[in-house]
Amino acid sequence: MHLVILSYMAWTASEIRELRERLRMEPAQFASLLGVDLRTAQRWETGEARPTGAAEAVMTGLRESLDKRPEAGPALAKFVLGAAAVGGLAYLIVKLFDVAAEKEKGGGGRGENTPSGPKDSGTS
C-alpha cells in the first residue's frame, strides 16, 4: 500500500486576494468556485479566518496551474467553476485541466491515447 501525503501551505490574506485577482474573478464568483459563502471568502481576504480542507486544496491546485500557465486564469476558473460543488475533487479537476492543456500544446508525452481514442499510428 502506498501512502500519499499532500501538504498545503497556510494561505495569507494577500495570497488569497492575489489568487482571486489572477483568476480575474469577483469575490462572489471566487467564493462559489471554492464552495463557500461570500462572507467566508471575504474573511479569508481580510485575514480574519483561514481556508482549510477542500477549499485549501482547490486553491493550491489553482495556484499550481497558474504558476505553470499564467495566461490560463479565466479559462481555468471557467473550467473549474462548474465543479466547485464537489469540494476537494475540484483539485483533481484542476490537475485534469493541466493534462488537457499539455495535450493541446502537443506536449502530451506518453499520452498515446486521446479522449477521442487512440492516435492513428499509420499502420493497419
Side-chain angles (χ1 to χ4, degrees), residues 19 51 74 84 90:
L19 176 63

Side-chain angles (χ1 to χ4, degrees), residues 24-95:
R24 299 183 194 137
M25 298 183 90
E26 295 296 321
Q29 294 172 308
F30 188 63
S32 178
L33 174 76
L34 297 171
V36 299
D37 62 62
L38 175 60
R39 180 68 187 128
T40 297
Q42 290 172 330
R43 290 178 63 223
W44 293 344
E45 287 195 16
T46 60
E48 295 174 53
R50 289 184 183 234
T52 60
E56 187 178 19
V58 172
M59 290 191 321
T60 298
L62 290 167
R63 181 173 51 201
E64 288 173 3
S65 290
L66 288 172
D67 287 348
K68 292 177 191 170
R69 288 181 317 286
E71 76 287 351
L76 178 61
K78 182 178 178 182
F79 184 81
V80 179
L81 191 56
V86 296
L89 292 178
Y91 179 79
L92 298 176
I93 292 169
V94 169
K95 291 302 185 184

